[in-house]
Amino acid sequence: MAKAKLADEEKRKFNKENLQKLFGIFRFMLPYKTKFVVGFIFLIFSSFLLLAFPYVAGKLIDVATGNQTWYFNEIHLIALSLVAILFIQSILSFFRVYLFAQVSERAMSDVRKSLFSRILFLPVSFFDKTRTGELMSRISSDVTLLQTTFSTTLAEVTRQLVTLVVGIGIIFFTTPSLSLFMLGTFPVLIVIAMFFGKKIKKLSKNTQEELAKSTTIIEETLQAIATVKTFTNELFEIARFKKSQDVVVGKAIETAKYRGGLISFIIFALFGGMVGIMWYGAHLLQNGDMLSGELMSFFFYTAFIGGSIAGLGDMYGQVQRAIGASERILELHGEAQEQEAELVEGKIELSGNLTFTDVRFTYPSRDEMEVIKGVSFELKKGEKIALVGSSGAGKSTLIQLLMRLYPLDSGVIKVDDKDINEYNLSAFRKNIGIVPQEVILFGGSIKENIGYGNTNADFEAIKVAAQKANALEFIESFPEGFETLVGERGVKLSGGQRQRIAIARAILKDPSILILDEATSSLDAKSEKAVQDALDELMKNRTTIIIAHRLATIRKADRIYVLEGGEIVESGNHDELSSKNEGVYENLIKLQFSEN
């Protein structure tokens, strides 16, 4: 995927279409357009004012040598004029930088907010095919690149263009013969600069791509740090990161080689050209065809023009990278979001009557294999059913379909006799609570993690939820109580404690439909009893779906559905299914007891 994207970037041309992609980001600057326009006006005025400096400096020499009179015939007044030009230009530059910084900082903050919001509302199928590190790179690296473009590069490109165009116009007007001689050196300079610029653009993009891969390695390793340490693969991950960094360094050094070549050529060509211009200018001066002040002004303008050409070559590469960054950001904005992604306040009240009718489903990333094959069952308000079967039978997939994480291929799921797709997505999901096997907590406090179930709940409600989840005792045993930080992913708490935090969170959410996904499978006997008691409290008067491998936890279920290969092969209560000779459920029981 990365190689394909890189190939696309290499083929990207610096044309109207790609510039429009960059300007597509300008809509985020519209709220700050007044400051941007004022800053741009300061930029234009400061650029023009700086171009007046060589002209006045030349007049200083002419007046000093007595070759010409001017508005000021005293050299100290002309010198003060030069100082005034520099002072006013510096004031204009300050406000330009300050205003552009305000616009770019606020606009790029809006881009990050918009991008993060967009990502959160993308469907789960998008995250199945996209790596987290790549998304992080788009929010951080790509936006930072755009920020530099709008705060610095845009101003520099404008300044260099003004300097180039106006500077050439001035020297052609004041010293036409010497200007024609000087411009004879331009074609070679431009052709070589374009060659280096194109090569630098390609290598810079390669470097950026490799850097994104390197960032992904860091992100993946830190997310799975416990696994890394369990398998003692620290050295393996270090070697993997070193290898990636070596590639980044290699690409960056190769890029630097061409940058160095470009700069060396510019220096040689610029100063070599200036030697030729000095020779020809001296010839004109000797013959009385030019004043010494005019020659000095010409040298100043030539230096400005040469610097502008060199700067534009480097800016060309920077604008190319910005186009790539804007394209990647706009790609995310173009991704289809989940249906009715808008949030709603509060939640609709559902009874919890649930019906699956001939549900079929295939994962988009594995479209050659049907995972759910015509599953049908019914669940009344307050009932408890269990889904059992071997790994890969489709139990968790059914839950994902119920939560509308994926669209059905065919069939229908109804809640309270209404197709789940007819409900507002946000309001519907607020009626479903889940206690997973692997509880993921945020790195904040216990209070914040329980409160995640209902961000509008007050502390008293959070405390009551913790009490019902049998979590209050261990929470209050901590010195900081509810303000105790759980650490990243909840690593500072035991498995049983994390489960009870998750149960308290579900209690606070107060869902109509409850899903228990292997909620006690990884706990010791003591923790399991505490968690099971909390689950019994949570399940009261709620429609509950239990997924379990440990069959002892589902004996009290009203019905048990046995899945195999994405189909329901048996159904009934525990006593009915366990009494079937050679039945799938009965074999699962035998297998589990034999393992114990």
Side-chain angles (χ1 to χ4, degrees), residues 400-462:
Q400 291 175 329
L401 296 177
L402 171 62
M403 297 185 70
R404 292 173 60 184
L405 298 179
Y406 296 95
L408 305 180
D409 291 344
S410 63
V412 64
I413 302 175
K414 291 184 177 181
V415 172
D416 293 351
D417 296 322
K418 183 178 178 180
D419 191 324
I420 59 174
N421 293 311
E422 296 178 16
Y423 291 106
N424 174 275
L425 182 58
S426 171
F428 174 73
R429 284 181 181 164
K430 287 181 179 181
N431 278 274
I432 300 177
I434 184 167
V435 180
Q437 176 182 6
E438 183 183 355
V439 177
I440 303 297
L441 299 181
F442 295 93
S445 66
I446 291 176
K447 182 178 75 174
E448 290 170 342
N449 274 280
I450 295 176
Y452 202 74
N454 181 357
T455 53
N456 295 320
D458 57 23
F459 178 67
E460 278 304 311
I462 292 173

Side-chain angles (χ1 to χ4, degrees), residues 19-301:
L19 280 175
Q20 285 175 343
K21 294 173 183 176
L22 179 59
F23 292 141
I25 304 295
F26 262 101
R27 72 176 188 268
F28 291 97
M29 303 177 73
L30 289 178
Y32 318 105
K33 59 181 179 294
T34 301
K35 288 184 178 180
F36 179 80
V37 170
V38 173
F40 201 79
I41 291 171
F42 280 133
L43 169 64
I44 296 297
F45 273 111
S46 67
S47 299
F48 273 96
L49 193 60
L50 189 61
L51 285 170
F53 186 87
Y55 178 77
V56 178
K59 295 303 177 184
L60 176 66
I61 300 300
D62 286 339
V63 170
T65 56
N67 292 324
Q68 193 180 45
T69 58
W70 197 51
Y71 297 110
F72 304 118
N73 290 321
E74 297 181 15
I75 57 174
H76 67 275
L77 291 176
I78 300 177
L80 286 175
S81 299
L82 290 172
V83 172
I85 289 172
L86 293 175
F87 178 75
I88 296 172
Q89 199 272 341
S90 64
I91 296 296
L92 293 174
S93 295
F94 169 80
F95 282 107
R96 184 266 300 173
V97 171
Y98 181 67
L99 289 169
F100 272 26
Q102 285 194 51
V103 172
S104 63
E105 289 288 345
R106 292 192 170 117
M108 292 308 110
S109 176
D110 291 344
V111 171
R112 289 190 180 94
K113 293 171 188 174
S114 173
L115 203 54
F116 183 63
S117 300
R118 190 81 188 182
I119 289 172
L120 288 187
F121 282 120
L122 291 174
V124 172
S125 57
F126 171 83
F127 296 96
D128 290 342
K129 62 183 180 183
T130 309
R131 301 175 81 171
T132 304
E134 184 181 342
L135 296 177
M136 292 174 63
S137 177
R138 294 193 191 191
I139 294 176
S140 57
S141 302
D142 286 345
V143 176
T144 300
L145 182 58
L146 285 177
Q147 184 171 342
T148 302
T149 299
F150 287 116
S151 63
T152 305
T153 307
L154 181 63
E156 287 304 312
V157 168
T158 304
R159 181 192 299 282
Q160 307 294 8
L161 286 173
V162 169
T163 301
L164 184 63
V165 174
V166 177
I168 290 175
I170 290 174
I171 62 174
F172 259 99
F173 180 76
T174 56
T175 52
S177 58
L178 192 56
S179 300
L180 287 172
F181 181 85
M182 182 267 291
L183 288 178
T185 63
F186 269 32
V188 175
L189 193 66
I190 292 172
V191 169
I192 299 296
M194 292 293 286
F195 166 77
F196 276 103
K198 186 175 181 180
K199 189 70 177 176
I200 289 169
K201 175 202 72 173
K202 179 179 176 181
L203 289 172
S204 296
K205 288 178 182 177
N206 288 351
T207 304
Q208 189 178 354
E209 194 70 29
E210 293 299 333
L211 188 59
K213 292 179 184 177
S214 183
T215 304
T216 299
I217 292 174
I218 296 174
E219 187 266 335
E220 289 178 339
T221 303
L222 295 181
Q223 274 195 344
I225 190 65
T227 304
V228 173
K229 290 184 175 295
T230 300
F231 286 92
T232 63
N233 274 339
E234 291 92 341
L235 294 179
F236 172 79
E237 294 297 341
I238 290 171
R240 192 160 71 106
F241 182 66
K242 280 183 177 178
K243 183 178 178 181
S244 176
Q245 279 293 296
D246 289 343
V247 174
V248 173
V249 170
K251 296 288 185 184
I253 290 175
E254 189 177 0
T255 305
K257 180 176 68 176
Y258 280 91
R259 285 185 185 276
L262 175 61
I263 292 171
S264 298
F265 171 77
I266 292 296
I267 291 173
F268 176 79
L270 181 62
F271 284 97
M274 289 187 72
V275 170
I277 293 167
M278 288 170 65
W279 167 81
Y280 189 64
H283 176 72
L284 293 174
L285 191 64
Q286 190 177 49
N287 292 337
D289 296 327
M290 176 181 284
L291 298 176
S292 55
E294 290 177 334
L295 181 60
M296 181 180 177
S297 296
F298 182 86
F299 280 134
F300 267 119
Y301 281 121

Side-chain angles (χ1 to χ4, degrees), residues 270-437:
L270 181 62
F271 284 97
M274 289 187 72
V275 170
I277 293 167
M278 288 170 65
W279 167 81
Y280 189 64
H283 176 72
L284 293 174
L285 191 64
Q286 190 177 49
N287 292 337
D289 296 327
M290 176 181 284
L291 298 176
S292 55
E294 290 177 334
L295 181 60
M296 181 180 177
S297 296
F298 182 86
F299 280 134
F300 267 119
Y301 281 121
T302 302
F304 280 12
I305 292 168
S308 296
I309 294 173
L312 286 173
D314 188 53
M315 295 300 147
Y316 178 84
Q318 291 186 34
V319 172
Q320 279 288 337
R321 292 195 296 275
I323 289 173
S326 64
E327 186 174 283
R328 287 189 293 273
I329 289 173
L330 292 175
E331 278 176 2
L332 280 181
H333 276 277
E335 289 284 344
Q337 293 186 293
E338 287 184 310
Q339 180 187 358
E340 298 177 47
E342 72 274 6
L343 296 177
V344 296
E345 291 296 327
K347 66 178 182 181
I348 52 176
E349 293 299 327
L350 299 178
S351 299
N353 297 304
L354 179 61
T355 307
F356 278 64
T357 305
D358 196 25
V359 171
R360 293 182 177 274
F361 174 72
T362 303
Y363 281 105
S365 57
R366 290 177 285 151
D367 55 8
E368 74 285 350
M369 183 176 65
E370 192 174 37
V371 180
I372 302 298
K373 306 171 182 177
V375 168
S376 300
F377 63 85
E378 190 173 350
L379 184 56
K380 298 295 184 184
K381 175 184 176 181
E383 285 187 331
K384 301 174 183 60
I385 69 162
L387 302 177
V388 301
S390 57
S391 296
K395 305 182 298 295
S396 296
T397 301
L398 287 174
I399 299 307
Q400 291 175 329
L401 296 177
L402 171 62
M403 297 185 70
R404 292 173 60 184
L405 298 179
Y406 296 95
L408 305 180
D409 291 344
S410 63
V412 64
I413 302 175
K414 291 184 177 181
V415 172
D416 293 351
D417 296 322
K418 183 178 178 180
D419 191 324
I420 59 174
N421 293 311
E422 296 178 16
Y423 291 106
N424 174 275
L425 182 58
S426 171
F428 174 73
R429 284 181 181 164
K430 287 181 179 181
N431 278 274
I432 300 177
I434 184 167
V435 180
Q437 176 182 6

Side-chain angles (χ1 to χ4, degrees), residues 382 384 435 461-472 499-500 502-516 519-520 528-544 546 556:
K384 301 174 183 60
V435 180
I462 292 173
K463 190 172 181 179
V464 169
Q467 186 175 22
K468 289 182 178 179
N470 284 342
L472 188 60
Q499 287 287 7
R500 280 177 276 175
I503 293 169
R505 190 160 61 188
I507 290 173
L508 193 65
K509 188 176 185 181
D510 191 25
S512 305
I513 300 171
L514 177 64
I515 299 165
L516 306 178
T520 62
E528 182 177 0
K529 184 181 186 309
V531 170
Q532 191 60 55
D533 290 343
L535 289 175
D536 290 339
E537 175 67 29
L538 177 59
M539 287 188 289
K540 285 180 180 178
N541 302 317
R542 300 183 201 279
T543 304
T544 305
I546 306 168
K556 297 178 182 179

